[in-house]
């Protein structure tokens, strides 16, 4: 019998001895051990491309803060990079693509489908290496950005506050945006399939920029593509749980549909509301406001509140978005311990 993984059981809504917990962006700059490996790598993309180093930073939060699942160390933007867009990380400014997509011939030039997914070998090698080292009772989460979130970077060329270039396309040339989204969706399906074949236990689809889309258009431009990916994977790999994380869409909760297992609740959505609307159909993950990690008292208060709503049923603890780089490691550990303490049966 293989050792059970509490995290995977919880994703399927099974009873577990306590509620498992992990933190979005848990492998990152708040850990001095991460900074040391990153310095050794020279730059962020080298770190993503090097399976030994990526494996090391993936495992750090398991050993240092005691989370129940590791998340593969990589970035969502390696996908457009391997589709032929030239990605770089400019110090202090974040990701940049030198030639953003503006027209149909730019889309036609992108490498698609199997060819693009096959170029991400360093990710698959990293997964295989992690699986040789990760304790058997811990889960490994693989991930992708949603087609919409990826497209925002491919069209804007970088992070954006206004999304004006993608939204201009959304309202004035929606067919062009759909063409990008469809091409990215095909790559993501095969990419996630290869992550599963390489050994990941759980899939998370990050739609970090969901809130940029008006609620009436959210299904058309983002959710339906996420559901298409989930349905493709579920049909072939029903034993691999899928977590959907659309950030900041409380107005869409009534319309959520699709074949997946866990709905990631962001910190702006009250857990009660998510439980009322979705709790019977999906396991819920979340949702402490990440800045509460600056105070141990504020952390304990939120963990107790979330526990009183979810009562250890059909729930996975997490933050409502990523941990910030200046959070003391001690406080991150406190969050994990408190989640385990309040939910222990
Ligand atoms: O070391 C550094 O300075 C680079 C910072 C960094 C890190 C640690 C980037 C650049 N990416 C990552 C790792 C990363 N990215 C992970 C690793 C696993 C973990 O969570 O521990 C994951 C899951 C991501 C996913 C990611 N990248 C998302 C979705 C998740 C989210 O936080 O919403 C997004 C939007 C990105 C784009 C990206 N990559 C890096 C930065 C600084 C950004 C955001 C830029 C922006 O704000 O637009």
């Amino acid at each position: 019998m293989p050792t059970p993984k509490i995290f995977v059981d919880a994703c399927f809504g099974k009873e577990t001895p306590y509620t498992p917990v992990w933190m979005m962006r848990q492998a990152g700059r708040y850990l001095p051990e991460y900074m040391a490996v990153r310095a050794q790598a020279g730059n962020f993309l080298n770190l993503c491309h090097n399976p030994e180093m990526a494996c090391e930073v993936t495992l750090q939060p398991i050993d240092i803060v005691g989370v129940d699942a590791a998340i593969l160390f990589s970035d969502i933007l390696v996908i457009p990079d391997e589709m032929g867009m030239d990605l770089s990380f400019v110090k202090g400014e974040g990701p940049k693509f030198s030639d953003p997509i503006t027209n149909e011939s730019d889309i036609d030039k992108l490498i698609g489908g199997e060819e693009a997914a096959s170029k991400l070998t360093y990710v698959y090698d990293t997964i295989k290496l992690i699986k040789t080292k990760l304790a058997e009772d811990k889960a490994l989460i693989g991930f992708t950005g949603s087609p919409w979130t990826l497209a925002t970077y491919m069209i804007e060329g970088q992070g954006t506050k206004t999304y004006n270039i993608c939204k201009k396309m959304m309202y004035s040339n929606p067919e062009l945006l759909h063409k990008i989204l469809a091409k990215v969706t095909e790559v993501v399906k095969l990419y996630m399939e290869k992550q599963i074949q390489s050994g990941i236990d759980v899939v998370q689809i990050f739609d970090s920029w969901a809130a940029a889309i008006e609620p009436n258009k959210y299904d058309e431009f983002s959710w339906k593509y996420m559901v298409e990916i989930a349905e493709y994977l579920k049909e072939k790999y029903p034993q691999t749980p899928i977590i959907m994380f659309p950030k900041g869409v409380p107005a869409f909760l009534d319309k959520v549909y699709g074949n997946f297992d866990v709905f990631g609740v962001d910190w702006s959505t009250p857990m009660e509301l998510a439980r009322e609307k979705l709790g019977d159909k999906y396991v819920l993950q979340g949702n402490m406001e990440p800045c509460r990690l600056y105070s141990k008292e504020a952390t304990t208060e939120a963990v107790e509140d979330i526990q009183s709503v979810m009562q250890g049923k059909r729930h996975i603890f997490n933050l409502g978005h990523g941990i910030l780089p200046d959070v003391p490691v001690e406080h991150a550990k406190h969050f994990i311990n408190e989640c385990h303490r309040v939910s222990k049966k």
Side-chain angles (χ1 to χ4, degrees), residues 23-29 34 38 44 71-77 89 94-95 143 149 153 159-160 206 208-209 321:
M23 295 181 294
M24 285 186 269
R25 293 298 188 96
Q26 66 189 15
R29 289 189 293 179
Y34 167 82
R38 190 172 174 311
F44 174 69
I71 179 162
L72 164 71
F73 189 84
S74 184
D75 196 81
I76 59 168
L77 299 177
F89 280 88
F143 68 92
T149 288
Y153 291 95
T160 167
F206 284 94
S208 305
W209 311 136
H321 199 196

Side-chain angles (χ1 to χ4, degrees), residues 272-292:
E272 291 89 334
L273 184 71
R275 196 198 58 195
E276 186 190 307
K277 307 263 185 209
L278 299 173
D280 292 340
K281 197 160 174 208
Y282 303 108
V283 169
L284 300 179
Q285 172 176 278
N287 76 338
M288 188 174 88
E289 147 57 296
C291 292
R292 281 190 180 254

Side-chain angles (χ1 to χ4, degrees), residues 77 86 157 190 208 215 217 223 227 298 321 335:
L77 299 177
D86 174 36
L190 300 172
S208 305
K217 293 279 183 189
W223 188 256
V227 169
H321 199 196
F335 170 61

